[in-house]
Structures are given as structure tokens and as C-alpha cells.
Amino acid sequence: RDALELEGSTIGPSHPASASTLIQMGKIDYELRRYDDAASGIRRAGDILATSLGGNHPRVGRALLLLASIYERRGDEISPAVRTGSGPATPSSRNVSGEAVSS
């Protein structure tokens, strides 16, 4: 977390390198079974990457796959479109930011 703070003060919080740090932190949170923290960091990283590199960049796709793994592990229902790679990596009851949505 100190590394992320230092990166934010030197290169800015919206730089792709900051997203990489967030992804690494998210992976650690995932391994420690802190799924909500992991999802939050990976979502933030995905947003940074989509803004800085474009929504179709492979790094954005990898972040979304990680996010789908986190959602699945914490027990959220994942739509069949996500399993086949044809839909967004969000549980059916949440949007990309993790906010609840009505069906």
C-alpha cells in the first residue's frame, strides 16, 4: 500500500503502473481470502487501464478475468456470458463498479 501511495505521488494515480500495483495487491488480497478488498482493487485497476489504454486493450481483459475469478470465488453468480468470454466480467446482480443493479 505504501508503494501505491508513492507511485501516486510520483507518476499519478491514473498511470498504468499504478494499475499494475493495484492488480498485484488484489492478487495478494485474493490469496488471503479478502475477496471484497481484492475486487475493489482489481475494479479500480481495470478502470485505470480502460481509461489510459482503451477498453479493448488486453490488460483490461486480463483485469476483468481476475475480477470474474474473484466474484466466482466469493460466491457471486456469474452469468453464462462471462464463462464463455462473451460478456462483461461482473456478477449478474452488480455493475462493473460492483454496485447492485435491479434485474
Side-chain angles (χ1 to χ4, degrees), residues 28-73:
I28 291 168
D29 286 333
Y30 178 86
E31 292 298 323
L32 295 174
R33 298 182 179 174
R34 297 189 307 222
Y35 302 126
D36 290 339
D37 291 340
S40 176
I42 300 297
R43 268 195 310 271
R44 190 168 152 211
D47 290 343
I48 290 169
L49 292 170
T51 299
S52 60
L53 302 174
N56 291 326
H57 195 278
R59 288 178 62 189
V60 175
R62 284 192 294 271
L64 289 174
L65 286 172
L66 283 170
L67 191 56
S69 295
I70 293 164
Y71 287 149
E72 191 169 45
R73 178 59 63 100

Side-chain angles (χ1 to χ4, degrees), residues 3-16:
L4 184 62
E5 195 173 307
L6 180 61
E7 278 180 349
S9 66
T10 55
I11 60 175
S14 60
H15 192 280

